[in-house]
Amino acid sequence: MPPVPTAAHDSDDVRAAAAGDRHAFQRLYTLHVGRVYGALQRLAGYDHARAEDLTQEAFIRAWQKLPGFRHESAFGTWLYRLAVNVALMDIRARGADPVSVRDNELLPDPGETPFCAAERGELEQAIGQLPPRARAVLVLHDIEGWRHEDIGDELGMAVGTSKAQLHRARSLLRKALGERS
Amino acid sequence: MNEFEWRRQLRELRQPAAPNRDLWPAIDAALDGAAQAATPVQALPSRQRHWLLGAGLAASLLVAGGLGWRLLQAPPGNANTPAISNWKPADPRFAGAAIELDAARMELELAIRQAPDSAGLQRLLRRTEQQQAQLRHLADRAS
């Protein structure tokens, strides 16, 4: 998983916030909210209201868990991971779209569907229409750069299932973009 | 468009984004009711606690059963088994230690019958008997 760029000087604020300093935590919020919201927005399928709720939930959880932060990783990385977990827990709680062999059989073979150039807005809209679990795998793998092993761990699925979901998500995405072009 | 360009296009989506509104006031308000976790305690997982509880119970039953069986097999006056001490301290604080030491002495006497030449067992028996004597002395002083 690629590291999240963080400011080197936030460690003082992290310690102060862990000790209960609300102003220090606000500075951390200001520094990291863009990164957190960006990831959660993608996982929420560009549903801005949902992404905002998840962002709030992520920062509240971070505040609660800060005393246990061990400084073994950068705070930004820890916060990013925690925020993604919040979004994935939300997806799991909804019990969304378990993949099945039948689903994959109905999809076009990726080799038959051409890759389509798309404007950023079109791409985001197409990602937003993917089933939540397939979207999570596509976002984490193809955009966030996670490995299937990590995705499987976080989503409680086997590596093979994660690969199947990615295959499904890519096929659906290409199909959606192809129909528009 | 090849797959490399397609993947590049997806990766370009990995950018920070600003929420449409300032989320801090709502977060700040929610923090009032969200207490920070105290210093984390490494509590055992529930499954592990249950396992330890079960193992402890099983061990206790095994020891109790073994001791009961041993006592049933050793009726008073049987010359082949060591005699249980008749001494019972009046002070209940010494009762547990007296039972433990008596049981240890019995075990050692049985073991010595199997290996009469074992200097180590003889030494342990003497030490146990000394501890029993000390316990009696302490119990007498306390009463």
Side-chain angles (χ1 to χ4, degrees):
Chain A
M1 194 180 318
V4 176
T6 54
H9 61 270
D10 68 1
S11 58
D12 290 343
D13 279 339
V14 172
R15 287 189 172 81
D21 184 335
R22 195 79 70 85
H23 294 295
F25 191 62
Q26 185 177 6
R27 286 192 292 275
L28 292 171
Y29 162 81
T30 305
L31 192 62
H32 296 282
V33 66
R35 190 89 197 173
V36 168
Y37 179 77
L40 296 183
Q41 180 187 240
R42 291 186 283 277
L43 286 167
Y46 298 92
D47 177 341
H48 299 291
R50 186 79 208 135
E52 287 174 359
D53 288 347
L54 292 171
T55 302
Q56 287 182 23
E57 178 67 23
F59 276 95
I60 293 166
R61 294 263 183 92
W63 170 258
Q64 291 172 319
K65 289 176 178 286
L66 252 180
F69 177 56
R70 296 281 180 230
H71 299 269
E72 289 164 354
S73 61
F75 172 74
T77 305
W78 177 80
L79 177 65
Y80 164 82
R81 186 80 187 221
L82 184 149
V84 169
N85 278 343
V86 167
L88 297 184
M89 279 171 60
D90 182 62
I91 290 170
R92 282 202 301 262
R94 293 173 186 218
D97 62 297
V99 73
S100 69
V101 174
R102 191 176 173 189
D103 288 336
N104 285 336
E105 285 172 349
L106 294 173
L107 292 170
D109 186 284
E112 296 172 5
T113 312
F115 294 102
C116 302
E119 295 297 324
R120 184 188 174 110
E122 287 179 332
L123 199 50
E124 289 179 353
Q125 195 177 350
I127 290 170
Q129 288 174 352
L130 290 173
R133 198 172 281 249
R135 179 175 63 237
V137 174
L138 179 110
V139 167
L140 292 175
H141 189 274
D142 282 357
I143 301 178
E144 306 292 328
W146 287 37
R147 296 176 310 140
H148 281 294
E149 288 78 6
D150 294 327
I151 296 169
D153 284 347
E154 293 297 341
L155 273 169
M157 60 170 68
V159 169
T161 309
S162 176
K163 289 178 179 175
Q165 287 279 23
L166 182 62
H167 170 88
R168 179 189 185 210
R170 283 175 177 170
S171 299
L172 288 169
L173 196 58
R174 287 169 191 160
K175 190 179 175 190
L177 292 170
E179 284 171 355
R180 280 177 204 172
S181 60
Chain B
M1 185 179 192
N2 62 33
E3 181 158 2
F4 178 79
E5 289 171 350
W6 163 265
R7 298 281 292 275
R8 183 189 53 76
Q9 200 172 30
L10 282 173
R11 278 198 301 273
E12 284 178 355
L13 297 178
R14 187 171 187 252
Q15 289 177 4
N20 292 334
R21 59 188 173 90
D22 183 9
L23 303 178
W24 177 253
I27 293 170
D28 193 32
L31 295 188
D32 289 329
Q36 284 189 315
T39 305
V41 177
Q42 294 292 330
L44 286 174
S46 170
R47 194 184 301 170
Q48 207 169 339
R49 282 201 306 271
H50 289 154
W51 183 88
L52 281 175
L53 189 65
L57 189 63
S60 302
L61 288 171
L62 195 65
V63 169
L67 193 59
W69 179 82
R70 179 63 61 83
L71 291 174
L72 285 172
Q73 297 297 312
N78 186 340
N80 293 327
T81 53
I84 300 171
S85 169
N86 288 325
W87 178 70
K88 289 180 183 172
D91 190 329
R93 291 176 298 173
F94 297 100
I99 292 170
E100 289 289 330
L101 286 171
D102 213 26
R105 184 185 55 78
M106 283 174 59
E107 293 289 337
L108 284 167
E109 286 178 352
L110 282 170
I112 286 169
R113 285 183 190 175
Q114 299 293 319
D117 298 329
S118 170
L121 286 173
Q122 295 288 352
R123 191 168 56 248
L124 282 173
L125 180 61
R126 282 196 300 276
R127 191 178 301 166
T128 304
E129 287 171 342
Q130 286 169 0
Q131 288 172 338
Q132 281 185 305
Q134 286 174 346
L135 187 67
R136 287 182 191 216
H137 179 64
L138 286 170
D140 289 344
R141 284 179 58 184
S143 61

